[in-house]
Amino acid sequence: MAAIFQGVGAATALSHSKNFNPRFVSARKASFVVVRSDANVKFGSNLRGRKAEQFTTNAVATKADNSAISSTSKPGHELLLFEALQEGLDEEMNRDPCVCVMGEDVGHYGGSYKVTKGLAEKYGDLRVLDTPIAENSFTGMGIGAAMTGLRPVVEGMNMGFLLLAFNQISNNCGMLHYTSGGQFKIPIVIRGPGGVGRQLGAEHSQRLESYFQSIPGIQMVACSTPYNAKGLMKAAIRSENPVILFEHVLLYNLKERIPDEEYICNLEEAEMVRPGEHVTILTYSRMRYHVMQAAKTLVNKGYDPEVIDIRSLKPFDLYTIGNSVKKTHRVLIVEECMRTGGIGASLTAILTMMQAGVRI
């Protein structure tokens, strides 16, 4: 699956405000460049900006958390990314007896990528439940468990297999809080690996964020480092909303030092990876590392790119993104997703509306 680069030139200019909830967009021309990994370049037509209008966003508007940036300077311990996920899950199961795990081979086998290694021996077969190969059934069982007060973590052995449970995730997991008039909360975490892998078939190598992005009531996050993998896992388990945690199969063996003390990450907050002045680069998951390699080349040529790991795929952190675009007026989106209708397409549409002064 091709990595997709999407650029938005002369993008949003946002005005200052006390809480930054009201945002104004300057009337400027915008152009689009989509550069795919097959070196095909397509240019979109210029759009004339409309009169600037005030708009308010529902995205989180909190100050950036600098703990992720400064974590390497703190004492701590080194973990691989899959170990960080396991540690976060272990801590939450130890803290809250309502947290349970279910999925294929999650028990004594320890999971296909060893995220649940050792948990069955520690917490027993009722809290770490091996299920048949029936994604629709055990995802529905997890949703029912969440309705009755548990906090299940459902592992899809591969995100592509969870398409078999799409009806459960959409019509039940995402909508039950609404359709029940608020009588039921669905504090469930659905997680698993995806993305382009080595020696994997096509159905094992998909990025399915765009499939789930349109489902009402669902939050989506994508981890990219051991630090945010653990922090997002813990935050997702504590959330009262259903959360889909996307992991990348090629990042499980990534190593990083993380703090010894407990921490959680904001589920609705992007991470400023590299501050800069000349262009805003929006990315997430494995593409973060390709971007950072490319950023070195840009710096050597005299450019100063700003790199943001959007991390929260639904909702987008428009506070962090908007502040960056206001500063640079240029956007490059780098993703490993669908050619059409992906996360980058959604970001492009939002930035276009912001540039045109449309209320969001």
Side-chain angles (χ1 to χ4, degrees), residues 151 177 185-188 219 235-243:
R151 292 184 175 272
H177 181 69
K185 295 180 180 178
I186 317 295
I188 187 174
Q219 286 188 268
I237 292 173
R238 298 186 189 188
S239 175
E240 297 297 331
N241 300 315
V243 179

Side-chain angles (χ1 to χ4, degrees), residues 143 165-179 186 215-216 218:
I143 294 167
F166 194 88
N167 178 66
Q168 293 286 0
I169 297 171
S170 176
N171 288 329
N172 294 328
C173 183
M175 297 185 186
L176 268 172
H177 181 69
Y178 172 75
T179 56
I186 317 295
I215 299 174
I218 295 285

Side-chain angles (χ1 to χ4, degrees), residues 54-200:
Q54 185 181 17
F55 69 92
T56 305
T57 176
N58 291 324
V60 65
T62 58
K63 293 183 179 179
D65 180 9
N66 294 322
S67 59
I69 300 175
S70 59
S71 64
T72 54
S73 63
K74 297 179 181 179
H77 55 290
E78 281 192 337
L79 289 177
L80 301 174
L81 190 142
F82 81 88
E83 294 173 328
L85 288 165
Q86 191 273 343
E87 185 173 274
L89 182 55
D90 186 15
E91 288 180 5
E92 291 304 300
M93 293 186 74
N94 185 62
R95 184 187 68 87
D96 186 350
C98 291
V99 179
C100 56
V101 181
M102 59 185 68
E104 299 152 354
D105 289 335
V106 299
H108 294 278
Y109 185 70
S112 295
Y113 295 93
K114 302 307 175 186
V115 173
T116 56
K117 182 180 179 180
L119 297 182
E121 290 79 6
K122 186 174 183 179
Y123 297 105
D125 293 340
L126 291 180
R127 292 187 66 190
V128 185
L129 180 64
D130 274 320
T131 66
I133 304 175
E135 286 79 7
N136 187 58
S137 297
F138 68 71
T139 302
M141 182 169 62
I143 294 167
M147 293 171 64
T148 58
L150 297 180
R151 292 184 175 272
V153 178
V154 174
E155 175 180 314
M157 186 181 291
N158 183 278
M159 276 296 179
F161 303 159
L162 288 177
L163 292 178
L164 295 167
F166 194 88
N167 178 66
Q168 293 286 0
I169 297 171
S170 176
N171 288 329
N172 294 328
C173 183
M175 297 185 186
L176 268 172
H177 181 69
Y178 172 75
T179 56
S180 69
Q183 296 180 74
F184 294 106
K185 295 180 180 178
I186 317 295
I188 187 174
V189 179
I190 299 172
R191 52 154 296 270
V196 175
R198 295 188 178 94
Q199 299 177 340
L200 297 178

Side-chain angles (χ1 to χ4, degrees), residues 276-280 306 323-331:
E277 298 290 337
H278 292 157
V279 61
T280 297
E306 181 155 288
N323 270 316
S324 178
V325 175
K326 172 190 171 183
K327 176 175 60 176
T328 66
H329 300 291
R330 297 176 179 86
V331 177

Side-chain angles (χ1 to χ4, degrees), residues 257-313:
R257 181 173 294 275
I258 67 174
D260 292 325
E261 62 271 14
E262 185 180 42
Y263 68 92
I264 63 173
C265 294
N266 192 326
L267 290 176
E268 300 182 8
E269 192 171 80
E271 178 184 343
M272 180 65 67
V273 181
R274 184 191 188 280
E277 298 290 337
H278 292 157
V279 61
T280 297
I281 305 179
L282 304 176
T283 188
Y284 65 94
S285 191
R286 175 173 170 252
M287 290 297 104
R288 167 174 172 161
Y289 298 94
H290 290 270
V291 166
M292 292 307 294
Q293 289 296 318
K296 295 177 182 178
T297 302
L298 291 175
V299 171
N300 290 336
K301 293 184 177 182
Y303 297 100
D304 187 19
E306 181 155 288
V307 179
I308 296 176
D309 184 345
I310 60 175
R311 201 164 65 179
S312 174
L313 307 183

